[in-house]
Amino acid sequence: MAVLVTGGAGYIGSHAVAALKEQGEDIVVVDNLQQGHKEALLGGKLYVGDLRDPDFLDTVFQENAIDSIIHFAANSLVGESMTNPGKYYHNNVYGTLCLLEKMNEYGVKRIVFSSTAATYGEPENVPIDEYDRTLPTNAYGETKLAMEKMMKWFDTAHAIKFISLRYFNAAGAHQSGLIGEDHQPETHLIPIVLEAALGKRPHISVFGDDYDTEDGTCVRDYIHVSDLAEAHVLAVHRLREGAESAVYNLGNGQGFSVKQVIEIARAVTGREIPAAIEPRRAGDPAVLVASSDRARAELGWKPRFSKLEDMIESAWSWHSAHPNGYNDKSSS
Ligand code: UFG
C-alpha cells in the first residue's frame, strides 16, 4: 500500500517524503511543480499535475494502491493571499475539495493535512492550544481553516479520517544536506537572514520593532522541518491504527524574536549580517508560540532538533552549499 504525498516536491513535503522513505513506505508524489522542485525528491514516484484535474487524479488513484494521503499541495504566502485571495480559494480550497471527492470515489479513508498557526489569527492565549479560538487574520489562514472544516464534514458523511497538523514556523534543512528551503520568491525570515549572510542581499529588513514584546520585534516558535516531517509519519501510523480525526499543534513551545534570530544567525555563520528596521508587515501577529502537548501525548511526537542554533546551522549548511537553491545544478 502506498502513501500519496501531494505537494511532495515542496519544502516540507520533500522532507516528509524523505522520512517516509526511511520507514520503507511505498510513496507516490503528486506535485504541479509550481513551487516544488523535482530535485527535492529523495524517493517516491512523481506524477506532475494538478489536484484540480480530475482525469489526472483518476490516473494516480487507478495506477497505485493508495491507503493514506499526506496533503501539502497549497499556496502558502500570507502577503500574496491578501492581494490575490481568489488564487488561494481556487488552489487550496477547491483543490482540496477535488482531492476529497476522489478519496471518496476510490475509498481512501485517511488523510494527514498540512495546516498552520495562521488558522488562529491573533492569539487570545500564549502558548496557543488546539481549543483556542480560530479567527484568521489573512486569507491564507482562512483557506486552511476552510480545508480543515471540509475534512470534518467528509469525515461525518464518508468516514474519511483526518489529522490536521498546525505548524508554527518551519525552519532548517535535512541532515543529509541534500534538500532544504528554496522558495521563489523567498519571504521567510531565516532564509532571508542567511541570504544576507551570503551577501546575496545587502541587509535583513526587520519588519517593526514597536511590538509589545521584550525587544519590540515579533516572536515566533521555530520548529525543525525534519521534526515536522516525523509528525506526519506518526500521524499516518495513528490513522492506520484506527484513530479518530484530530487537530494538533506542532511547535517547540519556545518563542524567539526577530532580533534574537538574527543574533543566533550571526553566531552560527560568523558573518556580520546587517539589519535595518523597517515598518511592520501587514497581518503579522506579535507573538505566536505553540503548546504541542497534545501531539506529544497522542502522537508520541518529540522534536529531535529543538535548539534554534541547530535549525539555523542546518539551514546554513544547505544555503551555503546551494546559494541558488535547486538551480545550482543547472547554473553551476
Ligand atoms: N520578518 C522580518 N523580515 C523579513 C521576513 C520576516 O522581519 O524579511 C519577520 C516577520 O515580520 C515575522 C517573522 O519575521 O515577524 C517571521 O516571519 P516569516 O515570514 O518567516 O514567518 P511567518 O511567521 O509570517 O509565517 C509563518 C509561515 C506561514 C504561516 C505563519 C503562521 O511561513 O505559512 O507562520 O502565522 F501562516
Side-chain angles (χ1 to χ4, degrees), residues 76 78 116-118 140 168-169 187-189 192 204-207 218 220 222 258 281 284 288:
S76 61
V78 170
T116 168
Y140 163 66
F168 284 62
N169 288 60
T187 63
H188 296 102
L189 179 64
I192 291 180
I204 170 74
S205 302
V206 175
F207 296 144
C218 288
R220 294 288 180 272
Y222 294 89
V258 172
R281 189 173 70 175
D284 276 344
L288 285 174

Side-chain angles (χ1 to χ4, degrees), residues 150-172:
M150 209 190 301
M151 288 180 203
K152 185 189 107 177
W153 293 113
F154 272 73
D155 180 6
T156 306
H158 307 301
I160 293 178
K161 300 295 167 194
F162 70 94
I163 288 183
S164 181
L165 301 175
R166 292 180 178 161
Y167 347 126
F168 284 62
N169 288 60

Side-chain angles (χ1 to χ4, degrees), residues 136-216:
T137 53
N138 55 63
Y140 163 66
E142 195 75 72
T143 61
K144 286 277 177 167
L145 191 56
M147 292 148 88
E148 285 188 357
K149 288 183 176 168
M150 209 190 301
M151 288 180 203
K152 185 189 107 177
W153 293 113
F154 272 73
D155 180 6
T156 306
H158 307 301
I160 293 178
K161 300 295 167 194
F162 70 94
I163 288 183
S164 181
L165 301 175
R166 292 180 178 161
Y167 347 126
F168 284 62
N169 288 60
H174 198 257
Q175 268 180 312
S176 66
L178 296 172
I179 57 174
E181 193 164 7
D182 178 6
H183 293 117
Q184 299 296 336
E186 189 51 79
T187 63
H188 296 102
L189 179 64
I190 292 175
I192 291 180
V193 167
L194 298 179
E195 284 177 11
L198 284 169
K200 288 182 66 191
R201 295 176 188 250
H203 62 265
I204 170 74
S205 302
V206 175
F207 296 144
D209 69 347
D210 57 350
Y211 284 93
D212 186 15
T213 60
E214 212 157 290
D215 65 19

Side-chain angles (χ1 to χ4, degrees), residues 24-311:
E25 294 278 358
D26 198 4
I27 308 158
V28 177
V29 173
V30 161
D31 202 300
N32 63 12
L33 298 181
Q34 242 178 44
Q35 300 150 84
H37 308 271
K38 272 202 286 272
E39 301 81 357
L41 286 172
L42 298 183
K45 177 173 162 195
L46 173 64
Y47 287 80
V48 179
D50 199 289
L51 297 181
R52 293 164 291 185
D53 175 348
D55 295 340
F56 168 72
L57 275 190
D58 278 332
T59 306
V60 174
F61 278 94
Q62 282 163 11
E63 290 185 359
N64 300 281
I66 293 161
D67 86 303
S68 306
I69 295 181
I70 307 182
H71 180 34
F72 292 99
N75 291 108
S76 61
L77 298 179
V78 170
E80 184 188 54
S81 79
M82 299 299 277
T83 54
N84 191 0
K87 177 175 175 181
Y88 282 69
Y89 276 88
H90 207 275
N91 190 26
N92 296 4
V93 179
Y94 178 57
T96 299
L97 175 60
C98 295
L99 180 66
L100 289 169
E101 301 270 33
K102 285 292 168 203
M103 287 178 72
N104 191 33
E105 194 179 324
Y106 287 92
V108 179
K109 297 289 187 189
R110 291 181 275 271
I111 181 165
V112 175
F113 176 54
S114 162
S115 191
T116 168
T119 51
Y120 293 107
E122 194 69 54
E124 283 186 310
N125 305 303
V126 177
I128 303 171
D129 76 31
E130 294 83 353
Y131 299 102
D132 284 343
R133 180 195 65 181
T134 47
L135 195 59
T137 53
N138 55 63
Y140 163 66
E142 195 75 72
T143 61
K144 286 277 177 167
L145 191 56
M147 292 148 88
E148 285 188 357
K149 288 183 176 168
M150 209 190 301
M151 288 180 203
K152 185 189 107 177
W153 293 113
F154 272 73
D155 180 6
T156 306
H158 307 301
I160 293 178
K161 300 295 167 194
F162 70 94
I163 288 183
S164 181
L165 301 175
R166 292 180 178 161
Y167 347 126
F168 284 62
N169 288 60
H174 198 257
Q175 268 180 312
S176 66
L178 296 172
I179 57 174
E181 193 164 7
D182 178 6
H183 293 117
Q184 299 296 336
E186 189 51 79
T187 63
H188 296 102
L189 179 64
I190 292 175
I192 291 180
V193 167
L194 298 179
E195 284 177 11
L198 284 169
K200 288 182 66 191
R201 295 176 188 250
H203 62 265
I204 170 74
S205 302
V206 175
F207 296 144
D209 69 347
D210 57 350
Y211 284 93
D212 186 15
T213 60
E214 212 157 290
D215 65 19
T217 64
C218 288
V219 169
R220 294 288 180 272
D221 182 344
Y222 294 89
I223 175 82
H224 196 286
V225 64
S226 294
D227 286 327
L228 290 181
E230 186 64 32
H232 293 77
V233 176
L234 293 169
V236 169
H237 290 169
R238 189 158 165 83
L239 287 177
R240 282 178 178 158
E241 286 159 6
E244 285 303 316
S245 296
V247 176
Y248 298 106
N249 286 342
L250 298 178
N252 275 302
Q254 208 190 341
F256 289 89
S257 72
V258 172
K259 283 187 177 169
Q260 286 174 319
V261 169
I262 297 169
E263 269 318 313
I264 294 171
R266 285 177 178 141
V268 166
T269 62
R271 308 274 172 100
E272 200 187 327
I273 316 184
I277 305 298
E278 291 186 17
R280 291 182 177 198
R281 189 173 70 175
D284 276 344
V287 180
L288 285 174
V289 177
S291 161
S292 305
D293 293 351
R294 197 173 179 201
R296 288 168 190 264
E298 295 183 14
L299 291 179
W301 178 68
K302 193 170 179 294
R304 283 183 298 154
F305 311 98
S306 53
K307 282 177 68 188
L308 186 57
E309 283 80 357
D310 296 343
M311 293 180 221

